[in-house]
Amino acid sequence: MYFFSWPDDILARLFAAFDARQCYRPATWRARCPMPSHSRGDPARSLSIWLSCDRRWIGIGCWACRGRCGGHGYKADIVSMVGLTMGDLFQPRLDENGAYDWRNKKARPHIQPKIVAVYPYTDENGEVLYEKVRYEPKDFRLRRPDGHWGIEGVRRVPFQLCELLAKPAWPILYLEGEKDVLTAESLGLLATCVMEGGSGSGWDHDSPYPVYFQDRRVVVIPDEDAAGLNQAAKVVGALVLGGAASVRLAHLPGLEYRKTHGADLTTWVEAGGTRDELIAVIQSCKEWRPS
Ligand SMILES: [Zn+2]
């Protein structure tokens, strides 16, 4: 069985079958427990249904049945009454594009995410400030050098800051992700990105990043999708206002625009794009100036 929108389909099914009511707590509902030990259809609504804070799983539990059965086995009985399994209560895994893979049966739950890359962000002296950890299925988390997750209050810097400082005369390619930065470096170019990636959220008015691009020539190369183009406009604006010497917006030739998961520099290089072509593209695009 697959679902087009997890968790809504699952919740709708449970709500309808067990007459659920929203509880005073957020994302929590009280329903009539269907187990036979409840008399008169469980008027007390002993069955709790809730959605986890990270929206990755649906919890169910009946305080009465838990005590009576001394275990969790009754939960499987409850979900089986509406044609579900316990696995359906967990978010399906993502496909290779990072989208929910509703149709792939093998993609059903409990996939332990694997770390596939760690990208260190360092200060001017090469001290690691934080690391961006990439998982498969595609997901990112940030951690501090002491192993703590999250970077609340930690100074934010562009990726490969030491490289940027070591080559002050070089133009900088601004890309959406660390993988693309490494691709550009493999072509012998200077490149960077920020830990917020393609969301553009790091480039608001109080952004910590423009200062690192003062008096530098910057070429912004967005992913060819809606989010990529939106964030590129934001980045270009912030760079111009922040005092970059010049800012260009480059589109890689032959990349098909897609609404989401658009192609990026890595895709382009994998499809045969070369360093010379890339440089030609950059030189052919006009400098961005405030009008
Ligand atoms: Zn019960």
Side-chain angles (χ1 to χ4, degrees), residues 5 59 144 172 181-182 204 214:
S5 81
R144 283 172 277 165
I172 302 169
V181 170
L182 300 182
D204 296 318
Q214 266 170 12

Side-chain angles (χ1 to χ4, degrees), residues 33-35 37-38 42 46 62 64-65 68 74 78:
C33 182
M35 296 302 278
S37 48
H38 293 273
D42 188 24
S46 320
C62 170
C65 293
R68 204 173 288 125
Y74 72 96
I78 291 176

Side-chain angles (χ1 to χ4, degrees), residues 10 15 19 33 42 66 70 84 105 123 130 133 149-150 175-176 180 188 204 216 218 222 232 241 266 270 278 282:
I10 309 280
F15 292 171
D19 188 23
C33 182
D42 188 24
R66 186 182 57 210
L84 300 172
K105 268 200 165 160
D123 67 7
Y130 49 91
V133 182
W149 294 105
L175 302 164
E176 276 199 16
D180 292 323
D204 296 318
R216 301 295 298 258
V218 189
L241 291 174
T266 306
E270 281 167 1
L278 180 57
I282 291 167

